[in-house]
Amino acid sequence: MSDFSGIRFQGKHDDERVLAVYHRHWFDLFTHLFLSVFLSILLLGGFIIIPLLFPGIVGSPNAAMFFFLENSFLLFLWVSLFLIWIDVYFDVWIITNERIVNIEQKDLFTRRVSELRFHTIQDVTSEVNGFIPSILDYGDVLVQTAGESPRFIFHNVPNPIGVKDLIMKLAERGRHQETSTTAGLPAA
Amino acid sequence: MTTIIHLFYLILLLGISVVGVYICYHILRYSLSKKSAFAIVSVFAGVFLFLLLTNAIIFFQVNWGILFSTTAEFPAFPSVSSRY
């Protein structure tokens, strides 16, 4: 069992205990980063191959221009890698003993935080679509709530069946606690 | 011409610096674990500052005057007087 005692997020209650934290699966991050990784391989290849193909470039007055372009490319690549990483990694689903918190990072300037109480959960579905998600065991978990509120979706999280089971268990406990509270009985 | 290039470069440098600072702020502000946030920011900022500094040094070593010279001669096209 992982230790989530060091986890802090906005709106966390003092007595709230974090049970699980889910980010997107690493392969999902990799697919987003693929182009940048490919470009960085191209860049590293360029560093080695271009001076070999054109030996005159290193000693010529244009050498500074060559290194300036390479350096600029590397700088933009470094920044874009982190922008993509922020966009993917900062999509996070936190399951606490009270609720589910979904923090969705749309882009660098757009961030959406929503939460869901366990007693409102009606149905939980896990979905694994495709060859690679089946092998690597990642997929979506869809949480249907009562009323007109939209579905809560955990996008491309690892072990979706385990996540579904955990939510189902907590939802059952939440419903039981809610019934006990409304009936004036002490919670289990 | 060189002044215009320098001006454009300074604007670009300022823009990318702002993006870099915002990335650091974002990681520190919204990371779930402060300890890992500091580690990630130090890696990002270290490499970013190194690249930014070397970029600026290399930029001022480039002879932009020669690269964008409008009085360059093209020996492949001989002048009319030398043909006759």
Side-chain angles (χ1 to χ4, degrees), chain A residues 120-137:
Chain A
T120 61
I121 294 171
Q122 284 194 328
D123 179 47
V124 187
T125 313
S126 68
E127 246 181 36
V128 179
N129 287 321
F131 176 68
I132 294 170
S134 300
I135 289 174
L136 298 175
D137 188 26

Side-chain angles (χ1 to χ4, degrees), chain A residues 6-10 21 23 61-65 67-69 71-76 78-79 82-83 85-86 89-90 92 94 103 105 107-109 111, chain B residues 9 12-13 16 19-20 22-23 26-27 29-34 40 43-45 47-48 50-52 54-56 58-59 61-64 66-68:
Chain A
I7 300 292
R8 296 276 177 274
F9 61 92
Q10 278 180 307
V21 176
H23 293 276
N62 293 331
M65 185 65 190
F67 290 119
F68 173 70
L69 289 175
N71 188 285
S72 303
F73 187 42
L74 203 59
L75 185 63
F76 281 107
W78 185 247
V79 170
F82 269 82
L83 288 175
W85 176 75
I86 283 174
Y89 192 76
F90 279 65
V92 62
I94 305 162
I103 302 166
Q105 190 70 44
D107 54 57
L108 205 59
F109 302 103
R111 192 174 161 83
Chain B
Y9 180 71
L12 202 73
L13 207 67
I16 202 142
V19 173
Y22 192 77
I23 287 174
H26 197 283
I27 294 169
R29 178 88 173 81
Y30 296 118
S31 231
L32 295 177
S33 164
K34 293 292 162 218
I40 294 162
V43 170
F44 171 75
V47 176
F48 181 76
F50 171 76
L51 288 173
L52 204 71
T54 49
N55 195 269
I58 299 169
F59 175 81
Q61 281 179 356
V62 176
N63 195 338
W64 297 100
I66 288 176
L67 281 169
F68 291 97

Side-chain angles (χ1 to χ4, degrees), chain A residues 42-53:
Chain A
L42 210 69
L43 173 83
L44 290 171
F47 265 131
I48 299 159
I49 292 168
I50 292 174
L52 287 175
L53 290 175

Side-chain angles (χ1 to χ4, degrees), chain A:
Chain A
M1 189 84 181
S2 304
D3 179 32
F4 299 108
S5 54
I7 300 292
R8 296 276 177 274
F9 61 92
Q10 278 180 307
K12 185 174 181 277
H13 305 146
D14 293 334
D15 54 346
E16 197 170 13
R17 200 158 41 85
V18 177
L19 302 175
V21 176
Y22 296 102
H23 293 276
R24 285 173 183 261
H25 192 267
W26 66 263
F27 191 78
D28 192 45
L29 177 64
F30 176 75
T31 54
H32 283 84
L33 289 174
F34 181 75
L35 186 69
S36 300
V37 170
F38 178 73
L39 285 173
S40 59
I41 291 167
L42 210 69
L43 173 83
L44 290 171
F47 265 131
I48 299 159
I49 292 168
I50 292 174
L52 287 175
L53 290 175
F54 310 100
I57 204 162
V58 180
S60 76
N62 293 331
M65 185 65 190
F66 170 72
F67 290 119
F68 173 70
L69 289 175
E70 289 277 19
N71 188 285
S72 303
F73 187 42
L74 203 59
L75 185 63
F76 281 107
L77 197 68
W78 185 247
V79 170
S80 66
L81 274 175
F82 269 82
L83 288 175
I84 296 166
W85 176 75
I86 283 174
D87 189 24
V88 177
Y89 192 76
F90 279 65
D91 276 354
V92 62
W93 295 269
I94 305 162
I95 299 179
T96 72
N97 58 332
E98 294 177 12
R99 58 194 169 144
I100 302 171
V101 180
N102 174 19
I103 302 166
E104 213 169 327
Q105 190 70 44
K106 298 278 185 193
D107 54 57
L108 205 59
F109 302 103
T110 317
R111 192 174 161 83
R112 200 181 73 179
V113 181
S114 46
E115 68 168 66
L116 182 68
R117 296 274 160 183
F118 289 119
H119 67 87
T120 61
I121 294 171
Q122 284 194 328
D123 179 47
V124 187
T125 313
S126 68
E127 246 181 36
V128 179
N129 287 321
F131 176 68
I132 294 170
S134 300
I135 289 174
L136 298 175
D137 188 26
Y138 74 91
D140 294 348
V141 177
L142 301 96
V143 183
Q144 183 67 57
T145 56
E148 290 176 7
S149 52
R151 281 199 302 186
F152 227 67
I153 304 171
F154 289 60
H155 291 284
N156 295 328
V157 288
N159 185 21
I161 295 169
V163 178
K164 181 193 73 109
D165 289 346
L166 176 66
I167 296 170
M168 286 294 276
K169 203 168 77 181
L170 291 166
E172 203 167 316
R173 202 162 68 187
R175 275 196 294 270
H176 182 73
Q177 277 179 353
E178 186 69 11
T179 316
S180 306
T181 314
T182 47
L185 298 168

